[in-house]
Every structure is written in C-alpha cells, then in structure tokens.
C-alpha cells in the first residue's frame, strides 16, 4: 500500500513521442482508471510505472521512493495483463506461489496466502490445474490471485477484462472493485471502455494523444469535461456539438441557422466562435430550440435514441423517454443549465460566468 | 490446409509414386537386404552363403570390441548432443534478445547446416592439424603435445567438436523459434514477480523450451549415431587404433573393408532398431507434451 506520484513522464520510441508529459498524484488506496482511445499511450504509461519500459524523462515515485531507475522486481508492484500471461507450465498454485517463492517467503506462509487468495477469488478447487485447463474467467481470477498474494504496494491492470464476454466482464468488474476496496491497494487500471472507467475509478485519467486530457472523478468528468475530446469520449451516446457565435454580451450563442441559444452565463466576448455541447439525454421536446429531422429511432425500452440532422446538415442525437417516436420533423429545446461551452479553436472548456 | 478431392484414384497414386519409388529404392530395399543378409554367413571367399539364424546377432552382441564401440558411441553421441544443444541454446538466447522477429536474418543463420560433413571435417582439419592447423600448431608451440593422429583421446575430442559444430546451427534455429514463441508478457510477469534474468531462464524459459529441447535431443542423438560417418571418415578413419570407431563406422569397416557382410548387416539392423526406438519415444513424448 502506497502513494504513487508521476512527474512529467515523457516517452519516445525512436523519433515518435508517445507520452508528452503526464503527471499524476495518486493517494494511498485510490483506484485510478486510465481511459482513452487505442494507441494513446495507456499501456506505455502503465509499463513505465511497472518498470517494463523506461521513460525518456520524468520520475516515478512509489510510496515516497523514487523508483525511476529500479528493475520491475525491485518496485514491489503486481500487474494483471490483458492476456493474463500465466505461466503455462505451472499449476494454478504454482502460478500464484511463484512470486512468493522468489521472495523467500516460508513454505507454510506461501500455502496459507495462496489458499486464502484462492478462496477469496473462488478458485480454491482449481489449485492443481494448469492454465490451459481453465476457462477465460478462471484464468482471469488466477491472474488476479497472482497479484493479490504478493501484497504489493501497487496493482497495475492493463485491460484485464477485455478478453471476457460481456456478462462476465460486468461481474468481474464489480469483483475487482470490491477486492480493491477490501484490500485497499493503490491501483492503476487501464481500459478503453468508458463504462468500465466510470464504474471502477475513484478518479479517471482521460488520455488523448499522449497527454492527460483530464484527471478528475467520474462525475466531474461527466459534468464538466475539460475539452471537446473528453466531452465526446465520456458518455453514450456521445455529446452533440453545435457551432455558434457569441452575441448579446457573450450570454447567447447564435447557431448557423439563426437560432439563438441562451447560455448559462457569459462565455466570452461577442463574436467569439464557440462549440456548444449538449448530451443527448439533456435535449427536451419543445419549441424554440432546434428543429432536426429524425431519420432513425432506436427504442431501448423505457427510452429511445433518436438520430437526426439539423437543417444545416449536421448530425444530432437525442435520448428521450418513451418507446414510440415518429420519424420526421421534431422540435427540441436546449436547457441552458445542461449546456457545455467550448472554445471553437482550442476545444477547451469555457466556464460560463453568471 | 485445403482439401483437394480427386476424381478416381489413378491420379493420386500417380502423384505419390515418385516418393514411394524413392523410399522403396533407397530405404526399404536396402533395409530389407540388410535384414536378409544379417541371417546369412558367407564363406571366406564370398562364394557361397548359408542361413545361420540369429548367430550373427549373437556374435556381434557378445563381441567385446563391439561392446567397446557401443560404449564409445554412447560417450560420443551424448557429448555431441550435449555440446551441440548447449552451445546452440546459449547462442539462441543471446540472439533472441536482439533479433525478435528478424526472419531473413534467422534463415541465413541456418546455412552452416548445409555444409557437407566432409567439408566440415576439412575445416576442422585445417584448424587442428598438428602441422598445418592454426590451433594445432599453437597448442604444440605452447608445449601441449597435440596430435590427434596419435592420441586417441584427442582424436575423439576433435570428432566430437567437429560433429557438434555442424549440428549447432540446426539446433539454434529451433531454439530461437522456441524462444520467440514464448509470449513476452509471460516473461514480463516473471520479471514483475521478482525473478532475476537467470531465474527467469531456469524457471520459465527452459521449462517452456523443454519440448523443443527433447525433440532436438533425439534428432541430435540420431545424427550422432548415423550422420557423423562423413566427419569421422574424413578426419580419423576411426583411428588411431579404434579410438574414434563408432558403431556406424564399424558397420562400414566390417562390411566394406573386411567384407564381413553378415556381421555388418546384423550391426546395421541393430542400429536401425535403436533409431526406431528413439523415434517412437519421441513421438509418444511429443504427442503427450507438446501443448501446454
Ligand atoms: N515498443 C514500441 N516501439 C515503438 N512504438 C511503440 C512501442 N510500444 C508502443 N508503441 C507505440 O506507442 C503508442 C502507444 O502505445 P500503447 O500500447 O501505450 O497504446 P494503448 O493506449 O495501450 O493502446 P491500446 O488501447 O490499443 O492498448 C502506439 O502508437 C504504439 O504504436
Ligand atoms: Mg494497451
């Protein structure tokens, strides 16, 4: 159990820079989820923390100790890999005991700890089996068990659930969260699944192109995304963006079609270009706002997702209660309190001042 | 693989025919002749032969010099196999660190395997000949009396070295392929679990390579038993004395030089049985053990 501190981690593979300075301060026992699109550097960051990859510059501090130059073996971290990386020639017991044996833990103690972890994970009956005799979910548990028995300072998870079927994934997700809470081990969890990210993390790191676009609690990220990338990445269906120009002292945005949208506050000087973000579930039926033509209705039971186009051709998605909606013209309003305003140039969030 | 369906059976058999003819002509026929001859004994002039049943076998197996050859072959084969495997494994591990995935490079490395045994022998001869070999002269200059033509121990060492050298590249390719098929994450997991590189090798890499190693062991033993004839023939002709006479070389001396065809045939049948047993063991083991 320990804190983790990353200071301005940069990493280049040859000429290509993959991480452009990521800093992160993780409290003891905290579960941090690193989420982002494929190729944005999540695994690289995790591997740098584990010591499997060496950063080009920056510092990794675990439990107050600078481990930047240390081998993985000396960092006292445990990692769960996407494909589990179990030792194929060892039994489940052997897999879980390996790290303890190396650290010279007495035999009786190893036995006790492995049994305990196996019970905790519900794989007590499988200890004699080889990995190839296990199902995917069981392998996943063994990989977890191998991490748990070590009682490390840090758990690192690299998309550990992505090889499981949907139902098992949900189940394991809850299980991992429960275990992590119970053991109180500081954890980094990499995923590209936003639901996994929202449900698992105490805080999220949304990565974008080698930067940490935003580091905050899931709700904060949902409620106040730092830029258009984060806004579009978190939330499903994704947030709608409408281009507009500020007027009336910066409290109203005028859309290309001439529609005026009142903002929750002043968002800048008149004439500034902004992007107005609104989540599909925040659009409400009613006149005086947008008038899209709905082309596709996806009923989800208690609610429906409506896909349509605005008169200027830009797409719009709405999520409305009720299962039955006609296609064709529709009138929607934009409640000012649910609007997000971003700078059209930089994509950064503009906090409206009342 | 794609399955092809032929109409009628003439074409498939026709296509198989060349292979069957070659196998028949160069394997089954000579092997059959050897078995047949092993039950015959020719008179001293080679004019007539008579059926003697198991007598040739009994003679061979009770001949103390044959048993000596057998023991020597054991030492020779195990030395060649261990040396060739050990060196190849060491080189493969070194190479694996640097050439993950460099396929063209890898295939180039197998070229030494294509060197003919006689050429390999000449190469070693040029290195270790007491008069014209670089190392041979160097050893003598250093005051170490080196002449494999007189010293049986040195002769055996030399044929072992030459034979092992020829097999290293073959083993190397297999070991390298074996090493590269070990998922990197497994090794990383072991590193995170705290295993030193040495420990990783002995507790993870080596066990995962063991099916490959076992396969190669059998291949190398068979090689040392049979394919080293050319090396021995070019370097030492089995001498000095009988110090480098292995079983296969003895089949040649008894049959071709001494024209003792019955005994020679019996010896080759015994060798054939040894290979069959080795191969059978290998198939059983590989079938059982190849998948983790
Ligand atoms: N060893 C390497 N050599 C060169 N480039 C690499 C190496 N490892 C990763 N990269 C590059 O670094 C970038 C980030 O890779 P990384 O594996 O961290 O992505 P990721 O966010 O984990 O993606 P995914 O969700 O697909 O796993 C990618 O563009 C990748 O091509
Ligand atoms: Mg990854």
């Amino acid at each position: 159990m320990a804190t983790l501190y990353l200071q301005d981690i940069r990493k280049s593979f040859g000429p290509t820079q993959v991480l452009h300075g990521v800093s992160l301060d993780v409290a003891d026992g905290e579960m941090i989820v690193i989420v982002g699109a494929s190729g944005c550097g999540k695994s690289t960051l995790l591997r740098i923390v584990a010591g499997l990859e060496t950063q080009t510059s920056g510092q990794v501090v675990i439990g107050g100790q600078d481990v930047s130059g240390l081998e993985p073996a000396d960092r006292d971290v445990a990692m769960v890999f996407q494909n589990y990386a179990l030792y194929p020639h060892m039994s489940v017991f052997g897999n879980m005991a390996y790290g303890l044996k190396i650290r010279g833990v007495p035999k009786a103690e190893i036995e006790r700890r492995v049994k305990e972890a196996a019970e905790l994970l519900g794989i007590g009956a499988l200890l004699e089996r080889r990995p190839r005799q296990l199902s995917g979910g069981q392998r996943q548990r063994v990989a977890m068990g191998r991490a748990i028995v070590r009682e490390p300072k840090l758990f690192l998870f690299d998309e550990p659930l992505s090889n499981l079927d949907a139902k098992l994934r949900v189940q394991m997700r809850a299980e991992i969260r429960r275990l992590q809470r119970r053991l109180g081990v500081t954890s980094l969890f990499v995923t590209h699944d936003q639901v996994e990210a929202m449900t698992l993390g105490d805080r999220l790191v949304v990565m974008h192109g080698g930067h940490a676009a935003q580091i905050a609690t899931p709700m904060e990220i949902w409620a106040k995304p730092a830029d258009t990338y984060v806004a579009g990445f978190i939330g499903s269906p994704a947030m709608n963006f409408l281009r507009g120009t500020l007027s009336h002292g910066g409290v109203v945005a005028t859309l290309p079609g001439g529609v005026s949208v009142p903002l929750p506050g002043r968002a800048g000087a008149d004439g500034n270009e902004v992007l107005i973000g609104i989540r599909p579930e925040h659009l409400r039926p009613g006149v005086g706002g947008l008038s899209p033509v709905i082309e596709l209705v996806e009923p989800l039971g208690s609610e429906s997702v409506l896909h349509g186009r605005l008169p200027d051709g830009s797409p719009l998605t709405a999520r409305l209660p009720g299962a039955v909606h006609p296609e064709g013209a529709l009138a929607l309003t934009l409640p000012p309190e649910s609007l997000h305003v971003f700078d059209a140039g930089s994509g950064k969030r503009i906090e409206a001042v009342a | 693989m794609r399955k092809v369906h032929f109409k009628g059976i003439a074409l498939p058999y026709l296509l198989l025919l060349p292979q069957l003819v070659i196998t028949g002509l160069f394997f089954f026929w000579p092997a059959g002749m050897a078995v047949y001859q092993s039950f015959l004994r020719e008179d001293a002039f080679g004019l007539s032969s008579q059926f003697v049943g198991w007598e040739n076998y009994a003679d061979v197996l009770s001949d103390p010099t044959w048993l000596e050859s057998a023991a020597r072959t054991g030492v020779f084969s195990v030395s060649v196999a261990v040396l060739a495997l050990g060196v190849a494994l060491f080189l493969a591990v070194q190479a694996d660190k640097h050439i993950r995935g460099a396929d063209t490079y890898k295939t180039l490395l197998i070229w030494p395997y294509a060197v003919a045994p006689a050429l390999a022998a000449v190469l070693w001869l040029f290195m270790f000949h007491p008069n014209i070999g670089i190392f041979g002269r160097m050893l003598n200059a250093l005051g170490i009396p080196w002449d494999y033509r007189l010293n049986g121990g040195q002769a055996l060492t030399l044929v072992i070295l030459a034979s092992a050298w020829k097999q290293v590249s073959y083993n190397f390719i297999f070991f390298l392929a074996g090493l590269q098929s070990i998922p990197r994450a497994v090794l990383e997991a072991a590193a995170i679990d705290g295993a030193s590189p040495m420990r990783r090798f002995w507790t993870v890499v080596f066990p995962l390579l063991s099916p490959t190693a076992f396969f190669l062991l059998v291949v190398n033993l068979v090689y040392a038993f049979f394919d080293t004839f050319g090396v021995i023939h070019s370097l030492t002709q089995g001498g000095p004395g009988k110090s480098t006479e292995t079983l296969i070389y003895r089949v040649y001396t008894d049959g071709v030089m001494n024209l003792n065809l019955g005994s020679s045939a019996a010896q080759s049948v015994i060798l054939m049985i040894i290979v069959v047993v080795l191969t059978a063991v290998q198939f059983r083991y590989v079938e059982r053990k190849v998948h983790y």
Side-chain angles (χ1 to χ4, degrees), chain B residues 19-88:
Chain B
Q19 187 63 46
L20 291 176
V21 167
I22 286 171
T23 312
L25 204 61
F26 292 101
F27 180 71
F28 283 109
W29 186 51
M33 287 301 287
V35 173
Y36 171 67
Q37 287 212 334
S38 69
F39 293 109
L40 300 180
R41 180 163 296 170
E42 299 197 339
D43 65 57
F45 305 101
L47 297 175
S48 67
S49 52
Q50 69 183 112
F51 183 78
V52 292
W54 296 101
E55 216 171 286
N56 283 327
Y57 290 93
D59 284 356
V60 165
L61 291 173
S62 61
D63 180 353
T65 64
W66 188 86
L67 294 176
E68 261 172 47
S69 281
R72 195 179 302 118
T73 308
V75 172
F76 171 78
S77 306
V78 171
S79 306
V80 168
V82 168
L83 197 61
L85 288 171
V87 172

Side-chain angles (χ1 to χ4, degrees), chain B:
Chain B
M1 224 184 280
R2 222 165 66 88
K3 263 191 186 153
V4 179
H5 292 280
F6 291 105
K7 284 200 191 87
I9 55 164
L11 184 61
Y13 278 105
L14 192 70
L15 292 174
L16 276 178
L17 195 62
Q19 187 63 46
L20 291 176
V21 167
I22 286 171
T23 312
L25 204 61
F26 292 101
F27 180 71
F28 283 109
W29 186 51
M33 287 301 287
V35 173
Y36 171 67
Q37 287 212 334
S38 69
F39 293 109
L40 300 180
R41 180 163 296 170
E42 299 197 339
D43 65 57
F45 305 101
L47 297 175
S48 67
S49 52
Q50 69 183 112
F51 183 78
V52 292
W54 296 101
E55 216 171 286
N56 283 327
Y57 290 93
D59 284 356
V60 165
L61 291 173
S62 61
D63 180 353
T65 64
W66 188 86
L67 294 176
E68 261 172 47
S69 281
R72 195 179 302 118
T73 308
V75 172
F76 171 78
S77 306
V78 171
S79 306
V80 168
V82 168
L83 197 61
L85 288 171
V87 172
L89 181 55
F90 176 78
L91 293 177
V93 168
Q94 301 310 313
D96 180 50
K97 292 180 189 160
H98 300 289
I99 55 165
R100 278 205 168 258
D103 276 330
T104 42
Y105 192 24
K106 250 165 29 196
T107 38
L108 292 186
L109 288 169
I110 202 170
W111 284 11
Y113 183 65
V115 173
L119 284 183
V122 168
L123 198 125
W124 283 81
L125 189 143
F126 274 127
M127 287 199 287
F128 283 100
H129 194 280
N131 302 132
I132 56 167
I134 301 171
F135 294 111
R137 288 167 62 109
M138 208 161 13
L139 286 169
N140 281 313
L142 289 173
I144 302 162
W146 169 266
D147 191 343
Y148 65 85
R149 295 166 308 175
L150 302 174
N151 183 322
Q154 292 180 357
L156 190 60
T157 310
L158 187 62
V159 288
I160 289 173
L161 283 177
S163 307
W165 174 80
K166 218 181 107 43
Q167 195 64 10
V168 164
S169 58
Y170 182 86
N171 297 345
F172 172 85
I173 293 297
F174 276 85
F175 275 136
L176 189 59
L179 284 170
Q180 305 213 327
S181 72
I182 298 176
R184 204 166 67 144
V186 171
L187 298 177
E188 290 175 347
I192 290 180
D193 263 345
S196 64
M198 248 321 175
R199 182 137 192 180
R200 259 173 352 238
F201 181 81
W202 288 114
T203 58
V204 179
V205 177
F206 193 73
L208 291 178
L209 272 187
S210 64
T212 311
F214 181 78
F215 159 78
L216 286 176
L217 180 68
V218 176
V219 169
N220 280 247
L221 285 177
V222 171
Y223 159 80
F225 265 61
F226 297 96
D227 285 353
T228 50
F229 174 82
V231 173
I232 295 173
H233 190 56
S234 323
L235 273 176
T236 63
Q237 280 95 47
K242 285 183 178 301
S243 57
T244 53
E245 189 187 71
T246 58
L247 290 178
I248 187 75
Y249 202 79
R250 194 184 163 106
V251 169
Y252 167 78
T253 24
D254 282 353
V256 180
M257 311 293 285
N258 305 336
L259 293 176
N260 190 347
L261 292 185
S263 170
S264 174
Q267 290 178 37
S268 53
V269 172
I270 292 172
L271 285 181
M272 216 152 34
I273 291 168
I274 294 175
V275 185
V276 168
V277 169
L278 274 177
T279 315
V281 167
Q282 166 164 341
F283 276 136
R284 273 197 70 115
Y285 183 86
V286 166
E287 248 165 47
R288 204 157 44 80
K289 195 75 188 206
V290 85
H291 315 283
Y292 278 111

Side-chain angles (χ1 to χ4, degrees), chain A residues 225-250:
Chain A
D227 60 26
T228 48
Y229 178 79
V230 177
F233 189 80
I234 300 288
S236 174
M239 185 184 280
N240 298 294
F241 294 105
L242 309 164
R243 194 166 271 280
T245 313
L246 293 182
S247 61
H248 295 81

Side-chain angles (χ1 to χ4, degrees), chain A residues 275-289:
Chain A
L275 284 173
I276 298 168
I278 179 139
R279 297 197 182 277
E281 58 270 37
H282 290 155
L283 287 164
R284 285 286 151 258
V287 287

